[in-house]
Amino acid sequence: ARPRVGYFYTGKTGSEIITEKLMKYKVETFQSMPIVVKEDDSAYDAISAMFLSDVGTLFAVDQDNNLVGVVSRKDLLRASIGNQGLQDIPVHIIMTRMPNVAVCYPDELLVEAANRLIDKQIDSLPVIERSNETGAKVVGRITKTTITKAFVELARNELM
Amino acid sequence: ARPRVGYFYTGKTGSEIITEKLMKYKVETFQSMPIVVKEDDSAYDAISAMFLSDVGTLFAVDQDNNLVGVVSRKDLLRASIGNQGLQDIPVHIIMTRMPNVAVCYPDELLVEAANRLIDKQIDSLPVIERSNETGAKVVGRITKTTITKAFVELARNELM
């Protein structure tokens, strides 16, 4: 029986406290800068951009800077063992194309984005602005690195 | 002032409960199967093995099956934009070589492995058997995918 004097126990278990805490973390707080390429850039240029910015996934945009696809190290590696020269293959040929690209939004929970990464078996999600405009504007990226950092900070009590 | 009647509050904060919980998770509970290649295999063969097993990092072993290096998608992508044919480059030329390879052990904490992934800016750690034998036997792998899964399961209360 729960004591009714002096002190009221909240009745929350450790697991509930963890869930409650994780439900506060939004994508926008954790997202990092998106690295973009033009869809007409070559696979070779995409590989160069990847090394220059040290990311594993690039977001391909059209002339209006709207997201049209995503290109990963895996896509580029597949292209590199093909017969065509990397200079001659444009990004739009090898990328995953909208609307097949998994995305997330700034106001979503970090844990929802993490779940989407696992569910879709991908390394990175573009963060897209919610708006009524036509076209998807990329404002950030969430990767397995983002989630791994959050996990470490959670263990160290560095997250609020 | 803490009440001294009827009910004794443990004094633990939510953060302490999370830390305490995370301190129970060991590498061996979460590790997945390591995918290995021979150090004399070609970069082309390594890329094929990577696609076949759908992993981002391969562990290179010698003839006694001891770990000698690690080869990542990034290493292979770098090799693919070089002048030499991928069939002609052996894995041991492009891999990160022992003792420069970051590793982890089955009895370490998952959060220590996660921290090492962030600290060394790598995607994967080979899990090495602790023994007095000469040579390092690879028994598993911990990746950012492992950590992302653990993060999702933690939020869903699926972890003990």
Side-chain angles (χ1 to χ4, degrees):
Chain A
R2 194 199 280 186
R4 290 287 176 200
V5 286
Y7 187 84
F8 288 90
Y9 180 52
T10 64
K12 279 179 198 162
T13 65
S15 295
E16 284 167 340
I17 290 171
I18 292 174
T19 302
E20 199 170 82
K21 191 159 180 171
L22 288 172
M23 291 308 146
K24 281 192 222 153
Y25 304 151
K26 295 283 173 67
V27 161
E28 61 198 341
T29 315
F30 292 85
Q31 70 190 27
S32 47
M33 289 294 293
I35 311 295
V36 301
V37 285
K38 297 287 181 190
E39 57 176 333
D40 296 325
D41 286 354
S42 72
Y44 187 93
D45 289 340
I47 295 174
S48 304
M50 225 172 234
F51 276 103
L52 211 63
S53 52
D54 199 25
V55 293
T57 311
L58 299 168
F59 305 132
V61 295
D62 63 15
Q63 292 188 327
D64 300 321
N65 273 318
N66 289 316
L67 182 72
V68 290
V70 164
V71 61
S72 67
R73 275 192 193 132
K74 201 170 156 183
D75 298 325
L76 291 164
L77 210 47
R78 193 183 291 110
S80 76
I81 54 170
N83 290 319
Q84 226 179 331
L86 289 169
Q87 306 264 18
D88 304 325
I89 312 172
V91 161
H92 67 80
I93 296 288
I94 56 167
M95 70 186 187
T96 301
R97 183 174 285 279
M98 290 287 269
N100 299 322
V101 175
V103 304
C104 66
Y105 298 93
D107 58 355
E108 277 191 288
L109 292 177
L110 185 66
V111 80
E112 290 178 292
N115 190 39
R116 204 161 300 145
L117 289 170
I118 295 301
D119 195 42
K120 307 277 181 189
Q121 297 184 281
I122 50 178
D123 288 330
S124 176
L125 291 167
V127 185
I128 302 297
E129 223 171 52
R130 278 197 204 274
S131 77
N132 295 321
E133 286 171 48
T134 48
K137 292 279 179 264
V138 189
V139 293
R141 72 178 207 277
I142 294 286
T143 68
K144 285 175 180 165
T145 305
T146 318
I147 309 298
T148 303
K149 276 186 189 160
F151 185 83
V152 170
E153 288 169 14
L154 191 67
R156 285 186 183 156
N157 288 331
E158 284 169 6
L159 298 182
M160 285 189 304
Chain B
R2 195 199 280 188
R4 289 287 176 198
V5 285
Y7 187 84
F8 286 90
Y9 180 52
T10 64
K12 279 178 197 160
T13 64
S15 296
E16 283 166 340
I17 289 172
I18 293 175
T19 302
E20 201 170 82
K21 191 159 179 170
L22 288 172
M23 292 307 147
K24 283 192 221 154
Y25 303 152
K26 295 282 173 67
V27 161
E28 59 197 344
T29 315
F30 292 85
Q31 70 190 27
S32 46
M33 290 292 295
I35 311 294
V36 301
V37 283
K38 297 287 180 191
E39 58 176 333
D40 295 325
D41 286 354
S42 73
Y44 187 92
D45 290 340
I47 296 175
S48 304
M50 224 171 234
F51 276 103
L52 212 63
S53 52
D54 199 26
V55 292
T57 311
L58 299 167
F59 304 132
V61 295
D62 63 16
Q63 292 188 327
D64 300 320
N65 274 317
N66 288 316
L67 183 73
V68 290
V70 163
V71 61
S72 68
R73 275 191 193 133
K74 201 169 156 184
D75 297 325
L76 290 164
L77 211 48
R78 193 182 292 109
S80 75
I81 53 171
N83 290 321
Q84 225 179 333
L86 289 169
Q87 306 264 17
D88 303 325
I89 312 171
V91 161
H92 67 81
I93 296 289
I94 56 169
M95 71 187 187
T96 301
R97 182 174 287 279
M98 290 286 271
N100 299 323
V101 174
V103 304
C104 65
Y105 298 93
D107 58 355
E108 276 190 290
L109 292 177
L110 186 66
V111 81
E112 289 177 293
N115 190 39
R116 204 162 301 146
L117 288 170
I118 295 301
D119 196 42
K120 306 278 181 187
Q121 296 184 284
I122 49 178
D123 288 329
S124 177
L125 291 167
V127 185
I128 301 297
E129 224 170 50
R130 278 198 204 274
S131 76
N132 294 321
E133 287 169 49
T134 48
K137 293 279 179 262
V138 190
V139 294
R141 73 178 206 277
I142 292 287
T143 68
K144 285 175 181 165
T145 305
T146 317
I147 308 300
T148 303
K149 277 185 188 162
F151 185 82
V152 170
E153 288 169 13
L154 190 68
R156 286 185 183 156
N157 288 330
E158 286 169 5
L159 297 182
M160 288 188 304

